Amino acid sequence: MSISSEKQPEVSVNNTSIKDYSTSPRNADDTLLAELGYKAEFKREFSMIETIAFAFSIMGVVASVSSTFSFPLVSGGHVGMVWGWLIPCFFVMAVASSMAELVSSMPTSAGLYYFSAKLAPPKYSALASWITGWANITGQVTLVCSIDFTCAQMITTAIAVSSDGATIVSSGATYGILLAILFAHGLVCSAATNVLARLNLFYVIVNVGTTIAAIIALLVCSGDNKVSTQDAFTMFENNTGWSNNGWAFLLAFTAPMWTLTGYDSAAHIAEEVAGAQRTAPIAILVGVFGTQVLGWLLFIACSFATASVADLLSGALPLPMGQLFLDVLGKRGMLAIWSLIIVVQFVTGAAQGVDASRVVFAFARDNALPGSRWWKRINRRTQTPVNAVWLVMTGAAVCGLLGFSAAALSSLAGASVIGLYVSYATPIFLRITSGRDKLVPGTFSLGRWYIPIGIIAVAWVSFIVVLLLFPPTQTTTPAGMNYAVVIIMGVFVFASISWIFSAHKWFHGPIKNIDDPRSSLEGKEL
């Protein structure tokens, strides 16, 4: 079945022809959405620049690097910082390029699981959609949690520095801060679309400005304490506990893989974007490339400013990046830049909350979630899926209980990356196999390069999923275990049991609602 990006008098969706719509689409975007099988339920108030800002902000480069700085420090030291970031960037761009092509062809909030349904063989269409949807939701919710958890850690780091180490916040108090952040994000993400769109311009200014300020501050203020260029790019230190240096270095990939997630957000807000076929793929590519470049420059600055990897790892602060800023900038300088980084991480979490809520809404709109009738409702006043927002925040709060584990960040980061990238790779795999003749390209197309680029993307994701299931050290304890496997397997078992005993009977993939007059009426009631 082919999905066309042009206006058609009759379109096949779920083997059902749509011959007339219940309402006339307002513009070309809504016409295409109708052809894909969905009624326009959002206001299209994200412009090109605001969509790019949203995709860029959701990766929050300076805050994400600060959150995951411990991974390259442990797994390679200076080499882990510089090359542990750069190498994955090439492979991630292959994934992003393949996704951009799919989004351009089918710009709908359903996103990845819709792509899988349309590109899979008809017999397995519903199953492919089911797997992709649950993987994406798992990644989305755990990513919200991991972002907000590290935001809480940043706050506790600031408290420790401001009190000269006299106040060390407990795990319980950190969890309390996490709950407060999640509540605040629930309020922000429930706002009207035009408010969210305008906020993203503020987000990207703070994000880019703070990143550039951090790079300059580290290079200038480290003065004569900077390491040599040779050491900054070639000094290797293995602090993982793994005896094999090559394997230890690979674990540094966790930092860029966690940072470079969430760019599928441009797909999930496609129904709120003007000119989605062109805007969404550009937002993905610009957001990913910009984050890669700024992230690499920041890690290079960190490498030059790190006089002793061992001292940073042995520091008392929750996040080693905070210790680096303290050593280089002093107490006042550290708190100044750290306050801005906290703001960046907070707005990154807010952007990710919006993205996750749109995924939940779309999956519920196709009746794939328990209680779907609640989660697919659109608030009449804000025209946003408020119920879905609070479901995401509740799920993130439950995942946040891992904060009492010593390996909380590696567990949450691993689970979010695995869930998201499995959902990224599934439609890409189907595109280069069963879906070769099913995709009608949109305004962005890879042309004949889609197969080699798709193969690279799928192979990379297969490798990274295995890598991120391993514990951070060779010998582990219950407290230091990588619980990503528990989260991923828990969702996999639940989704599998649901499919085998129930869902295969009633879930048939994305369902059209364009000729269902009850859709918008029910959805907008609280």
Side-chain angles (χ1 to χ4, degrees):
M1 178 183 64
S2 79
I3 306 295
S4 174
S5 61
E6 300 177 352
K7 294 183 180 180
Q8 301 174 0
E10 181 174 317
V11 179
S12 174
V13 180
N14 290 331
N15 301 319
T16 302
S17 293
I18 304 171
K19 295 186 178 180
D20 50 62
Y21 308 136
S22 58
T23 58
S24 298
R26 294 190 306 271
N27 50 42
D29 286 314
D30 292 343
T31 299
L32 176 57
L33 184 62
E35 292 171 354
L36 297 176
Y38 295 120
K39 174 182 289 187
E41 298 185 82
F42 294 99
K43 294 180 179 179
R44 293 188 180 273
E45 297 186 305
F46 275 86
S47 65
M48 169 77 78
I49 187 64
E50 289 163 346
T51 307
I52 293 174
F54 184 77
F56 189 82
S57 296
I58 214 166
M59 289 178 272
V61 55
V62 65
S64 296
V65 168
S66 298
S67 301
T68 58
F69 188 52
S70 59
F71 291 110
L73 275 181
V74 171
S75 303
H78 296 276
V79 169
M81 292 182 227
V82 177
W83 304 110
W85 175 274
L86 182 63
I87 292 173
C89 286
F90 295 102
F91 299 100
V92 170
M93 185 54 74
V95 179
S97 299
S98 297
M99 185 188 299
E101 182 183 48
L102 297 175
V103 173
S104 182
S105 175
M106 299 172 278
T108 167
S109 293
L112 300 160
Y113 78 85
Y114 185 96
F115 306 157
S116 292
K118 300 309 173 186
L119 297 173
K123 182 179 179 180
Y124 301 105
S125 175
L127 179 59
S129 181
W130 182 262
I131 293 171
T132 306
W134 276 105
N136 193 245
I137 285 180
T138 302
Q140 293 283 350
V141 174
T142 52
L143 185 58
V144 169
C145 179
S146 58
I147 291 172
D148 286 2
F149 174 72
T150 51
C151 186
Q153 285 189 313
M154 289 177 181
I155 294 173
T156 62
T157 297
I159 293 173
V161 171
S162 62
S163 65
D164 296 318
T167 303
I168 303 298
V169 180
S170 66
S171 297
T174 302
Y175 182 70
I177 296 173
L178 167 64
L179 293 180
I181 295 172
L182 288 170
F183 179 76
H185 281 161
L187 297 178
V188 172
C189 296
S190 298
T193 300
N194 64 331
V195 176
L196 296 173
R198 306 302 176 268
L199 281 174
N200 278 288
L201 294 177
F202 165 73
Y203 291 175
V204 77
I205 292 172
V206 174
N207 189 359
V208 175
T210 304
T211 303
I212 294 174
I215 293 170
I216 295 173
L218 288 172
L219 292 176
V220 173
C221 297
S222 54
D224 296 334
N225 292 324
K226 286 194 291 289
V227 300
S228 67
T229 300
Q230 181 178 354
D231 286 348
F233 284 88
T234 63
M235 182 180 288
F236 181 84
E237 297 181 42
N238 181 1
N239 296 291
T240 63
W242 288 95
S243 58
N244 187 293
N245 287 338
W247 179 258
F249 169 69
L250 292 178
L251 294 174
F253 292 174
T254 305
M257 291 309 299
W258 185 74
T259 302
L260 298 169
T261 52
Y263 48 86
D264 57 316
S265 58
H268 301 310
I269 64 167
E271 295 179 28
E272 302 167 73
V273 172
Q277 267 197 311
R278 179 172 177 266
T279 299
I282 290 176
I284 290 173
L285 296 175
V286 172
V288 170
F289 182 73
T291 299
Q292 289 177 340
V293 172
L294 284 176
W296 196 45
L297 293 176
L298 180 54
F299 264 119
I300 290 174
C302 290
S303 185
F304 274 106
T306 300
S308 171
V309 171
D311 288 347
L312 291 183
L313 291 175
S314 61
L317 298 180
L319 295 173
M321 191 67 153
Q323 187 65 53
L324 177 62
F325 280 121
L326 182 61
D327 293 344
V328 174
L329 305 179
K331 180 179 177 179
R332 290 186 177 181
M334 180 272 179
L335 289 175
I337 193 76
W338 202 249
S339 298
L340 292 174
I341 292 174
I342 291 174
V343 172
V344 172
Q345 189 72 332
F346 181 85
V347 299
T348 298
Q352 176 55 34
V354 172
D355 185 21
S357 67
R358 280 11 178 212
V359 174
V360 169
F361 161 79
F363 211 35
R365 181 172 59 183
D366 292 317
N367 298 321
L369 294 176
S372 286
R373 69 189 186 94
W374 295 100
W375 317 129
K376 66 182 178 182
R377 289 187 174 183
I378 298 294
N379 183 280
R380 181 182 302 175
R381 184 173 62 85
T382 65
Q383 292 285 282
T384 54
V386 173
N387 291 359
V389 168
W390 290 105
L391 178 62
V392 168
M393 299 306 158
T394 301
V398 173
C399 292
L401 293 172
L402 282 173
F404 292 94
S405 163
L409 182 56
S410 61
S411 300
L412 292 170
S416 59
V417 172
I418 291 170
L420 288 172
Y421 271 89
V422 166
S423 69
Y424 296 173
T426 302
I428 297 173
F429 173 76
L430 294 170
R431 164 71 170 126
I432 61 177
T433 54
S434 61
R436 292 187 182 187
D437 300 323
K438 295 183 177 182
L439 187 83
V440 176
T443 56
F444 175 80
S445 173
L446 296 176
R448 61 189 177 90
W449 293 101
Y450 81 90
I451 291 181
I453 292 175
I455 291 173
I456 292 172
V458 172
W460 172 252
V461 172
S462 300
F463 162 72
I464 211 69
V465 165
V466 175
L467 176 71
L468 294 180
L469 287 174
F470 277 79
T473 59
Q474 194 163 358
T475 56
T476 189
T477 62
M481 174 185 169
N482 182 356
Y483 285 94
V485 65
V486 176
I487 298 174
I488 296 298
M489 287 304 299
V491 175
F492 176 78
V493 170
F494 171 79
S496 298
I497 293 175
S498 298
W499 177 262
I500 293 171
F501 291 101
S502 176
H504 76 278
K505 301 176 183 177
W506 48 263
F507 181 74
H508 305 293
I511 56 177
K512 63 183 178 67
N513 69 2
I514 189 64
D515 56 356
D516 180 6
R518 296 173 54 203
S519 176
S520 60
L521 294 177
E522 287 185 351
K524 293 178 183 178
E525 291 178 356
L526 286 177

